[in-house]
């Protein structure tokens, strides 16, 4: 069956022509791009390599067409170590004071994957989203088309899109103006004010870094914990699932012991919390992870479960308990913070008045809501964990 | 149904590099003896090929003769593919079948030489495809032939470039929407692609760093296949032998390739020389009507055109490396002032084919640059026009108007049809664009 599909085409259709618009890249330029990607973790290297090829192609294109357009790559995300691997595009490239976002597309594409951060965060938003096709094997780049920010907003309004699991939006290719000459027209003749961009408000450091995590990182799907399953994100950050007995033990007295297991310790904590009025979902599951932050051995427990829905929408709750590993204690001034994309929801700090062994925070929301936890040490060192999400049932299963 | 003589006529090159077709008596006698029932004109190829392959593997005495028959068939098919390539791309890209033959038509009918035909036979499986299709596939995937074609401006993406270029999400989409698969099959395919990416792309990046690749993506090495197989076992508990990994990856690439061709057919191809649809929405609040805009600035129009032409030509001369910059001026002059076709221009300035001239001139881009500079000069000259430059849509309207005004004069030269673009026979002698350009070129020439 499939053979007949395969060969119903004229075999010569497979042969491609070098486009007149193709920009030939030299082996040295290919090497530079590979060099740029080398600093990043393995999993992020290929995309970064393609992004670097997109940047080099675009620079070559402008050099050949519009020498008068001043290009400045100093601020672009590709050259910024903390963004290069997490934003799969080249954001904040400056051309004649316009902000550009280059997206490396492949040969098979009918959509252009634009990272959420480049659309939703004012710090990374662009006047023009530029699709650059990269033909790695042929050592060619082709500036394919572009989308103005105002047109993007208009398109999104009439055809709302939701982000994919990899934190990008798949924009239909036909939203893009497929004549790159028009991009030159804008760069040459227009003033940047002509395309209004959202303003960057002041003092956004914390909000921005939280939002950035939400928009670039895949969430840990804690919903799978209820099914004894792990997703890749949870594995990467070394969560250890507590046995279901740990939650049932919460309801029976547990003997205090110096060498108790994390499950026993957790049961004891929950017992304490329940005494002070906290309610846990009936079918809850917990997990913990240990790590060391500035020489302080920390342990974080997370317990999740379904809670009775409001407005017919299923909800979940997340309880986080931050403690120290056995035989150590939490430093004064440490704080635990939980945020959602709108901002900080709860913050607890261990100060001299509230001497306690643990900091705890409980939040709840609908299944599509995600939460982000950060831990800040007294000296200001901060760790933000990948977001927590909750999808006990995978779409389509 | 095929012609039986294909199984005993060998197409080969003589020492002068010329194609000769030679009937091989021993092959003919053998074929007639093996298949006495077939009419010479209606041979069931698949049956014959399976039988010959079988004889090749089973019967020691008949190995040579059965192989010879198949090699004759392959030589004919190779010749056909080269002729097709020439017919489709040869003229525009400056090659003939004679340039292609030496890469793939290297079987002289004798023994002991690892010819292309032997390579074709070594992995041929009559159960999976016909020998004609299989041969065509290997011709198109022939590495040196591809390198040559790429120099001429045409190429075939390798299977490995296609896989490098495919995201798991895209694979999922193609496999669920286009070629229905069970969800288990889709999961396995995604795991296979992921494992391939992990192993192959890392190596590719290293080779780019070291400068040890010519560009073409070679098939994964046995070590890489072993590593991919290992990753699969770890990840999804799927055990595949390295050879199976290879064939699965190849057939995955094949599907993706066909999907791509189908998708491309669905949407009209945008070629560099076509005039794109104007995305400009008519601006009802616009105070100027288009004609008024052009009328107002008619006096300035010619002047700005001249300045824009100067600017764009001199910019090009700075970016195009010598000696190509000389060629550029000459080609521009021959095309616009002497109305010569691009094929003629190619011969005149020592380039191989029309496509090289069109890549050198990039006429569509040239025109766009001229328009943009005109707009800039018009804005500088006329203060009242400045407000048109505040709004992106209005700016596009102006650009489109100038385009239309210029097009009236030059559209016949740079029409959407490529063939038409090769021959400026409809060129309007009195074109302002051409007159100004030629004046300028005469001045610098």
């Amino acid at each position: 069956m499939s053979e007949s599909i395969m060969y119903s085409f004229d075999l010569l259709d497979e042969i491609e022509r070098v486009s007149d618009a193709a920009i030939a890249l030299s082996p040295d330029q290919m090497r530079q791009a590979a060099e740029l990607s080398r600093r990043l973790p393995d999993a992020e290297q290929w995309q970064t390599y393609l992004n670097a090829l997109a940047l080099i192609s675009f620079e070559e294109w402008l050099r050949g067409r519009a020498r008068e357009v001043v290009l400045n790559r100093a601020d672009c995300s590709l050259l910024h170590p903390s963004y290069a691997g997490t934003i799969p595009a080249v954001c904040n490239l400056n051309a004649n004071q316009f902000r550009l976002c280059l997206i490396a597309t492949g040969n098979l594409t009918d959509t252009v994957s634009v990272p959420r951060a480049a659309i939703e965060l004012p710090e990374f938003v662009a006047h023009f989203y530029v699709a650059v096709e990269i033909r790695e094997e042929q050592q060619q780049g082709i500036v394919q088309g572009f989308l103005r920010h105002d047109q993007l907003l208009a398109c999104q309004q009439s055809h709302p899109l939701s982000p994919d699991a990899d934190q990008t939006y798949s924009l239909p290719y036909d939203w893009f103006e497929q004549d790159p000459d028009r991009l030159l027209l804008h760069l040459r003749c227009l003033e940047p004010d002509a395309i209004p961009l959202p303003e960057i408000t002041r003092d956004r450091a914390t909000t921005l870094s939280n939002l950035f995590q939400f928009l670039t990182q895949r969430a840990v799907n804690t919903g799978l914990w209820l099914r004894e399953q792990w997703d890749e994100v949870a594995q990467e950050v070394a969560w250890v699932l507590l046995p279901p007995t740990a939650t049932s033990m919460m309801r029976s007295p547990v003997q205090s012991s110096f060498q108790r297991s994390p499950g026993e310790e957790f049961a004891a904590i929950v017992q304490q919390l329940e005494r002070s009025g906290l309610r846990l979902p009936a079918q809850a599951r917990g997990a913990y992870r240990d790590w060391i932050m500035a020489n302080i051995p920390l342990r974080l427990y997370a317990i999740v479960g379904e809670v009775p829905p409001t407005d017919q929408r299923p909800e979940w709750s997340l309880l986080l308990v931050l403690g120290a590993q056995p035989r150590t204690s939490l430093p004064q001034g440490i704080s635990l913070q939980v945020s959602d994309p709108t901002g900080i929801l709860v913050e607890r700090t261990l100060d001299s008045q509230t001497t306690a062994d643990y900091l705890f925070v409980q939040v709840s929301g609908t299944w599509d809501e995600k939460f982000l936890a950060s831990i800040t040490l007294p000296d200001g060192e901060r760790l933000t964990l990948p977001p927590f999400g909750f999808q006990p049932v995978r779409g389509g299963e | 149904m095929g012609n039986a003589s294909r199984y005993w006529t060998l197409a080969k090159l003589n020492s002068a590099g010329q194609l000769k077709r030679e009937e091989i008596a021993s092959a003919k006698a053998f074929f007639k003896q093996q298949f006495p029932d077939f009419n010479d004109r209606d041979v069931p190829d698949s049956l014959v090929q399976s039988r010959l392959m079988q004889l090749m593997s089973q019967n020691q005495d008949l190995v040579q003769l059965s192989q010879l028959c198949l090699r004759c068939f392959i030589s004919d098919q190779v010749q056909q593919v080269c002729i097709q390539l020439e017919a489709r791309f040869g003229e525009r890209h400056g090659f003939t079948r004679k340039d292609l033959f030496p890469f793939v038509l290297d079987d002289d009918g004798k023994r002991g030489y690892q010819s292309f035909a032997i390579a074709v036979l070594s992995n041929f499986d009559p159960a999976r495809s016909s020998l004609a299709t299989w041969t065509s596939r290997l011709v198109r995937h022939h590495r040196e032939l591809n390198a040559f074609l790429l120099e001429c401006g045409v190429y075939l993406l390798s299977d490995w470039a296609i896989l490098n270029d495919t995201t798991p999400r895209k694979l999922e989409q193609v496999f669920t929407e286009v070629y229905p698969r069970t969800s288990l099959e889709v999961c396995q395919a995604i795991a296979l692609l992921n494992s391939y990416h992990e192993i192959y792309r890392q190596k590719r990046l290293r080779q780019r760093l070291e400068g040890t690749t010519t560009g073409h993506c070679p098939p994964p090495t046995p070590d890489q296949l072993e590593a991919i197989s290992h990753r699969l076992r770890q990840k999804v508990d799927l055990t595949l032998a390295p050879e199976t990994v290879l064939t699965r990856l190849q057939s995955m690439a094949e599907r993706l390739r066909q999907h791509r061709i189908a998708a491309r057919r669905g949407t009209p191809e945008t070629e560099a020389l076509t005039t794109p649809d104007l995305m400009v929405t008519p601006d009802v609040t616009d105070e100027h009507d288009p004609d008024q805009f052009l009328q107002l600035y008619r006096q300035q129009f010619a002047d700005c055109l001249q300045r824009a032409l100067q600017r764009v030509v001199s910019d090009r001369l700075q970016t195009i490396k010598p000696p190509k910059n000389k060629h550029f001026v000459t080609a521009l002059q021959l095309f616009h002032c002497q109305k010569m076709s691009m094929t003629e221009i190619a011969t005149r300035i020592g380039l191989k084919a029309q496509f090289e001239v069109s890549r050198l001139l990039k006429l569509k881009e040239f025109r766009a640059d001229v328009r943009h500079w005109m707009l800039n000069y018009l804005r500088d000259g006329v203060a009242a026009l400045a407000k048109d430059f505040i709004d992106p849509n209005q700016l596009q309207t102006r650009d489109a108007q100038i385009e239309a005004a210029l097009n009236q004069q030059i559209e016949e030269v740079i029409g959407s049809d490529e063939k038409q673009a090769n021959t400026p026979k409809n060129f309007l002698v009195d074109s302002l664009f051409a007159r100004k350009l030629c004046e300028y070129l005469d001045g610098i020439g």
Side-chain angles (χ1 to χ4, degrees), chain A residues 355-366:
Chain A
T355 43
D357 294 332
Y358 305 100
L359 283 174
F360 81 94
V361 167
Q362 190 178 32
V363 289
S364 62
T366 54

Side-chain angles (χ1 to χ4, degrees), chain A residues 25-31 34 46 49 136-139, chain B residues 143 158 160-161 164 200-219:
Chain A
L25 301 173
S26 68
D28 195 49
Q29 287 171 319
M30 302 300 288
R31 191 188 51 74
W46 187 261
Y49 169 59
E136 200 272 342
E137 184 174 48
Q138 276 69 41
Q139 306 187 163
Chain B
R143 195 165 159 174
S158 72
W160 317 106
N164 285 342
Y200 191 92
R201 284 174 169 181
Q202 283 305 316
K203 177 84 182 294
R204 179 99 181 135
L205 276 173
R206 261 208 312 283
Q207 287 170 335
R208 283 293 190 200
L209 272 175
E210 294 157 0
T212 52
T213 165
T214 52
H216 183 88
C217 295

Side-chain angles (χ1 to χ4, degrees), chain B residues 302-348:
Chain B
D303 177 46
C304 289
L305 173 59
Q306 189 169 8
R307 289 171 64 198
L309 283 167
Q310 285 173 8
R311 172 76 202 217
V312 175
V313 172
S314 69
D315 271 5
R316 286 292 156 95
L317 290 180
Q318 284 188 46
T319 33
I320 305 174
K321 292 188 190 95
K324 280 200 166 169
N325 54 1
K326 280 241 169 60
H327 292 160
F328 173 72
V329 177
T330 315
L332 210 55
Q333 218 265 345
L334 293 175
F335 187 78
H336 282 102
C337 315
Q338 306 204 17
K339 289 61 170 173
M340 213 177 255
S341 78
M342 290 207 193
T343 314
E344 288 170 315
I345 295 173
T347 341
R348 184 68 85 81

